[in-house]
Amino acid sequence: MLFFIELKSRGFEVEAQKSITVYYKGTQVGNYIADIIVNKTVILELKACADIHDEFEFQLLNYLKGTDCEVGLLLNFGKEPEFIRKIFTNDKKKHRPKINQ
């Protein structure tokens, strides 16, 4: 919550626990819940674990594949802070619905 407040106080448009509708071949197949979306362009996935696990990266990549966002940050606030940046872009994203308003 403090991270959310700090981003907002710095003038960013921030949405917490944002529902992301996922489509497959034009059919809605489910929803994800992103921790934070900044300026409707960057997905932040927040963790507090000893280490970043592959599953966390796959989760973030799936969020990026299912939305029009192309940049995601996986932030781990465990014993040693660490982050991973993921980028997913392709022409098919231009035909996807925007993140739920």
Side-chain angles (χ1 to χ4, degrees):
M1 188 63 167
L2 296 175
F3 196 64
F4 175 86
I5 293 168
E6 185 63 29
L7 287 170
K8 221 151 167 63
S9 74
R10 292 177 183 240
F12 292 99
E13 179 184 340
V14 185
E15 299 173 276
Q17 298 298 301
K18 182 70 175 172
S19 177
I20 299 170
T21 303
V22 180
Y23 293 87
Y24 176 75
K25 294 186 176 183
T27 302
Q28 182 178 341
V29 294
N31 289 307
Y32 291 135
I33 304 294
D35 288 338
I36 296 177
I37 297 180
V38 181
N39 293 343
K40 292 188 168 99
T41 59
V42 178
I43 296 175
L44 302 181
E45 188 60 28
L46 309 177
K47 301 294 182 189
C49 298
D51 297 301
I52 290 180
H53 300 282
D54 290 343
E55 295 84 18
F56 303 154
E57 292 184 60
F58 299 146
Q59 178 185 17
L60 180 58
L61 192 55
N62 282 331
Y63 290 173
L64 294 174
K65 288 178 180 179
T67 68
D68 56 331
C69 293
E70 295 184 343
V71 177
L73 294 174
L74 174 57
L75 305 172
N76 183 27
F77 297 99
K79 63 180 178 181
E80 291 289 325
E82 56 188 332
F83 76 95
I84 293 177
R85 181 178 69 161
K86 292 287 186 187
I87 298 174
F88 183 83
T89 181
N90 67 32
D91 292 335
K92 293 178 184 175
K93 285 185 166 236
K94 295 176 185 168
H95 305 293
R96 284 209 180 110
K98 299 287 184 195
I99 291 178
N100 303 347
Q101 298 297 325

